[in-house]
Amino acid sequence: MNYFLAVDIGASSGRHLLGHLDNGKLKVEEIHRFNNQIYQVGVQLCWDLDYLFSEIITGLRKCVEQGKQPSALGVDTWGVDFVLLDGEDSMIGHAVSYRDKRTKGVMKEICSQIGSEALYAKTGIQFMDFNTICQLMTLSEEVKSQAKSFLMIPDYLNYLLTGKKVNEYTNATTTQLYNIEANGWDEELIDFVGLKKEVFHEVLPPLSKVGNLRQELVDELGFDCEVILPPTHDTGASFIASSLNIEDSGVILSSGTWSLLGKELLEPIVNEQSRLKNFTNEGGLDKRYRFLKNIMGLWIVQEVSRNLDYRYSFSELVNLAKEAKNFTSVIDVNDQRFFVNENMIEEIVNYCRESGQKPPSTVGEVSLCVYRSLAICYKKYVDEIAEVTGQEIRTINIIGGGCKNEFLNELIEEETNCSVIVGPVEATGIGNIVSQMIAMEEVADIYSAKKIIELSEV
């Protein structure tokens, strides 16, 4: 029996999911789970990649302890963030998070120099201050001159596992440096940010085999396995697990710290209408495109919980929201004031007051305000997707951890007037696993994978 290990690392937590086929059905079990968070390092908000890699190894050890050594593993994380390595393959500086304030206003500067039309025509990517192109623009000339390798976060973790340096396609497209027409790194944009093209590596598609574990890891763990590229951008992996096929009249909502709302297309939509509405065209498996919007998502609720010193569970916040059912004030969840701040509750109260609405005065009212605002935002973008694509939207498949929130699902159904399909919860890990299975020829293709997922209780 072949086991396939998905190392799925999100912005707030990571997990190791082990999958195998049993009489044509996918069986998935959680082997290891760990927290992830942003740390203040000096004046910057950073990720602790040494810690994350140590947790990857801990999960591999747990596989050994259970006698379920994987034949292959794949790593996925969030997009846009990266590291630079010097000539000794040491990391230059820290792995700075996309939530760091260093990029505020940078996208506007870039567009003033390149032109938003030209940048969108090249990349098809949504304009956001935290995109990789903006992060690179903030680096000093000294750092840029030292740089010999550019690796996205999962690329770097794969390098630590195998010693091989490659850039994976789906994550590369989130950088706003990947030319959607030429299907490769855009040398003009790389030159614009002040790096040499040699710093960037070959872009490999999902299902590519990176290599085996480094010998010292094999000696430490007592087994070897192949490292395979799933869509290393977690949204790309999660869309694989959706019950919707590319021809279906529905959209997919990957609900978690971020909400990613959109649909898969065989061709990108890069025109004036999609640019003005700020839609993105991210790369996916089989060179599909995820035409979608990035929405602030459950990050706001997570921050509300943190402001309350985690005294309430998420289910308790939902129950309190239900009790506050007559509260009607809403916020623009994509307002930059909610991106990162010290007190999310205070920002919500101030937004309502400043917009002439009744400010929330209880925990339940704050929670309901966020949930209803998310549903209203989804409604707006569902309508825009229908308008830009010319396709009627009748169904929303909500996947990811946020799909467990039945109350939010009901609000989405009410606002959008679409039928809601829920699950799978671990869509990203499942998409990661079946990608490895396709690469190892245990599953024929993405259509076969979707059928297996549909028939399996995952």
Side-chain angles (χ1 to χ4, degrees):
M1 179 185 298
N2 288 323
Y3 289 100
F4 299 87
L5 181 66
V7 180
D8 171 28
I9 306 177
S12 58
S13 66
R15 75 279 301 151
H16 288 51
L17 299 177
L18 198 63
H20 70 277
L21 291 178
D22 183 5
N23 292 321
K25 291 187 177 181
L26 179 63
K27 302 292 183 181
V28 177
E29 60 181 312
E30 184 180 297
I31 296 295
H32 180 51
R33 183 173 286 262
F34 52 94
N35 292 325
N36 187 25
Q37 65 184 70
I38 304 168
Y39 295 88
Q40 187 85 35
V41 182
V43 297
Q44 293 182 320
L45 298 176
C46 303
W47 304 106
D48 187 344
L49 299 190
D50 290 338
Y51 159 75
L52 292 181
F53 185 68
S54 72
E55 291 294 342
I56 292 176
I57 301 305
T58 296
L60 288 170
R61 288 198 191 100
K62 288 185 177 181
C63 291
V64 174
E65 290 168 4
Q66 296 185 29
K68 297 176 179 178
Q69 294 95 323
S71 301
L73 72 84
V75 179
D76 68 75
T77 76
W78 61 97
V80 306
D81 286 345
F82 64 92
V83 299
L84 294 175
L85 305 184
D86 63 19
E88 303 298 318
D89 289 332
S90 297
M91 200 164 75
I92 304 171
H94 302 281
V96 183
S97 167
Y98 62 85
R99 290 200 186 274
D100 188 78
K101 294 181 179 179
R102 64 180 178 164
T103 58
K104 187 175 182 180
V106 175
M107 181 57 75
K108 185 176 181 181
E109 293 179 26
I110 292 173
C111 288
S112 70
Q113 296 180 58
I114 297 178
S116 58
E117 296 92 342
L119 183 58
Y120 192 73
K122 281 175 174 284
T123 67
I125 294 298
Q126 184 176 356
F127 300 100
M128 297 182 290
D129 268 344
F130 57 72
N131 287 352
T132 314
I133 191 173
C134 296
Q135 295 191 45
L136 288 170
M137 287 293 290
T138 68
L139 299 180
S140 69
E141 292 303 317
E142 181 183 2
V143 167
K144 293 176 185 178
S145 67
Q146 294 177 51
K148 302 300 179 186
S149 290
F150 169 93
L151 297 172
M152 305 293 283
I153 299 299
D155 298 335
Y156 179 66
L157 296 173
N158 283 334
Y159 165 67
L160 295 180
L161 286 167
T162 67
K164 306 286 180 61
K165 289 183 279 190
V166 300
N167 296 134
E168 186 272 333
Y169 167 70
T170 67
N171 229 310
T173 64
T174 72
T175 63
Q176 214 165 20
L177 295 167
Y178 192 90
N179 191 301
I180 202 167
E181 191 170 322
N183 196 25
W185 293 117
D186 190 290
E187 294 185 16
E188 290 183 355
L189 293 178
I190 288 172
D191 182 65
F192 176 79
V193 299
L195 288 173
K196 297 178 180 178
K197 65 178 181 179
E198 292 79 13
V199 172
F200 294 77
H201 301 281
E202 179 185 6
V203 177
L204 297 182
L207 311 187
S208 297
K209 297 175 181 179
V210 181
N212 289 73
L213 297 179
R214 288 187 289 115
Q215 188 58 51
E216 52 265 46
L217 289 177
V218 174
D219 294 341
E220 176 186 344
L221 296 167
F223 82 97
D224 194 7
C225 70
E226 193 143 31
V227 176
I228 292 175
L229 296 178
T232 66
H233 185 208
D234 50 12
T235 313
S238 71
F239 270 43
I240 296 170
S242 168
S243 61
L244 297 181
N245 284 303
I246 203 164
E247 62 273 8
D248 291 331
S249 60
V251 292
I252 302 167
L253 171 61
S254 180
S255 179
T257 300
W258 283 91
S259 291
L260 296 310
L261 177 68
K263 64 187 292 111
E264 285 191 308
L265 302 173
L266 293 175
E267 297 291 338
I269 299 178
V270 184
N271 57 32
E272 189 67 358
Q273 187 181 28
S274 64
R275 180 184 71 84
L276 291 175
K277 292 187 179 298
N278 207 20
F279 276 96
T280 204
N281 294 269
E282 296 173 351
L285 183 64
D286 288 345
K287 286 294 171 74
R288 297 176 178 208
Y289 294 89
R290 293 187 310 286
F291 184 72
L292 56 77
K293 273 287 182 77
N294 287 272
I295 302 165
M296 202 75 76
L298 293 174
W299 158 259
I300 301 177
V301 177
Q302 292 167 1
E303 285 294 280
V304 167
S305 175
R306 182 180 66 82
N307 292 158
L308 296 169
D309 297 322
Y310 304 106
R311 294 193 304 272
Y312 301 89
S313 67
F314 291 124
S315 61
E316 287 171 332
L317 291 177
V318 166
N319 289 334
L320 291 171
K322 290 178 181 178
E323 293 173 7
K325 60 184 178 181
N326 294 324
F327 186 77
T328 59
S329 298
V330 293
I331 60 174
D332 175 3
V333 294
N334 290 315
D335 191 299
Q336 284 300 299
R337 70 197 297 168
F338 304 122
F339 184 64
V340 61
N341 55 62
E342 287 301 315
N343 193 317
M344 186 66 75
I345 294 174
E346 188 176 288
E347 289 293 341
I348 293 169
V349 169
N350 289 340
Y351 181 97
C352 290
R353 185 177 289 119
E354 292 164 14
S355 57
Q357 303 177 90
K358 178 184 175 183
S361 59
T362 67
V363 173
E365 289 179 349
V366 169
S367 301
L368 179 59
C369 177
V370 176
Y371 290 134
R372 179 171 285 134
S373 300
L374 283 170
I376 290 171
C377 180
Y378 300 151
K379 158 68 174 172
K380 175 186 176 183
Y381 293 137
V382 165
D383 289 347
E384 287 188 3
I385 291 169
E387 178 185 348
V388 176
T389 63
Q391 300 176 11
E392 183 181 5
I393 308 298
R394 296 193 295 265
T395 306
I396 302 175
N397 181 197
I398 307 176
I399 58 178
C403 79
K404 294 185 289 185
N405 190 325
E406 294 180 3
F407 177 62
L408 178 56
N409 295 345
E410 290 170 4
L411 290 176
I412 294 169
E413 200 161 32
E414 288 175 12
E415 288 292 337
T416 64
N417 201 30
C418 291
S419 61
V420 167
I421 303 171
V422 176
V425 174
E426 294 288 1
T428 301
I430 291 168
N432 183 328
I433 288 168
V434 298
S435 296
Q436 297 176 54
M437 289 178 168
I438 295 170
M440 297 290 278
E441 299 183 351
E442 286 217 1
V443 173
D445 52 32
I446 188 172
Y447 290 101
S448 301
K450 283 180 177 289
K451 289 179 182 177
I452 289 169
I453 293 168
E454 189 177 352
L455 291 172
S456 308
E457 297 178 2
V458 291

